[in-house]
Amino acid sequence: MAINSPDSTTPSSSPSVPTSGSRIRNFLIALVAIALGIALFLGLKTETSLGSLEAQAEASTPLEVALSNGKPTLMEFYANWCTSCQAMAKDLGEVKQQYKTKVNFVMLNVDNSKWLPELVKYRVDGIPHFVFFDEASTVIAQTIGEQPRQVLEANLDAIVTHVPLPYSQASGTVSDIDDSLSITITNQDDPRSHGSQVKGTR
């Protein structure tokens, strides 16, 4: 049994009254939270409009139109899961806005089997893969991989002004393989001959 003594203290049951200092602090925290919320909303809205691969693909020029309207064209092979494509999306979106009256921008998603003939034709084996066309729809150069904004702008300036692209892997004429040549393997030590070199002993 507990004995109440005059020296024992009981917890206060009266609620604490906020001071003016804590009210100002709470007001400032709420104000900062609202400002951060607005900044985040506006930042995401800008990112979505310029940097979204889907939005850029929807706004891109159809391939048939781009190859027949007499303007130079930049064709991009991409995929939504491609981290390099995503990393370039914001800068590429801004570059597209800058050059939209001078250059066609075509985006072909490598996950869409509709573009398989183009994947084969332009030998796409990595993305992002960019193909540059002149006004006559002739391939003049290709680049592969993530490109800095300055490189993209320099290459686009070059196709607009009809000068060689400063940053590219130029596409040139290739030699056809002569079908009359045939290779015959006469060596029995060929590892692909699966067991021809294994001799049984009895």
Side-chain angles (χ1 to χ4, degrees), residues 123 172-178:
R123 299 180 180 186
T173 306
V174 296
S175 300
D176 293 329
I177 297 175
D178 186 358

Side-chain angles (χ1 to χ4, degrees), residues 30-99:
L31 194 60
V32 168
I34 291 170
L36 287 174
I38 291 171
L40 181 63
F41 172 75
L42 292 176
L44 288 176
K45 185 176 180 183
T46 303
E47 178 70 24
T48 302
S49 63
L50 286 178
S52 166
L53 291 171
E54 294 89 5
Q56 289 182 32
E58 288 176 19
S60 72
T61 306
L63 179 60
E64 306 78 31
V65 173
L67 297 180
S68 64
N69 70 2
K71 284 172 44 177
T73 298
L74 173 61
M75 182 188 322
E76 176 187 3
F77 290 92
Y78 78 101
N80 292 329
W81 49 262
C82 169
T83 55
S84 293
C85 302
Q86 293 167 359
M88 290 183 64
K90 184 175 185 291
D91 282 344
L92 196 55
E94 292 170 0
V95 167
K96 287 175 181 177
Q97 290 298 315
Q98 182 180 345
Y99 288 88

Side-chain angles (χ1 to χ4, degrees), residues 114-131:
K114 172 183 179 181
W115 305 120
L116 185 58
E118 285 76 16
L119 289 168
V120 173
K121 181 176 181 178
Y122 300 108
R123 299 180 180 186
V124 176
D125 60 359
I127 53 174
H129 183 112
F130 300 95
V131 183

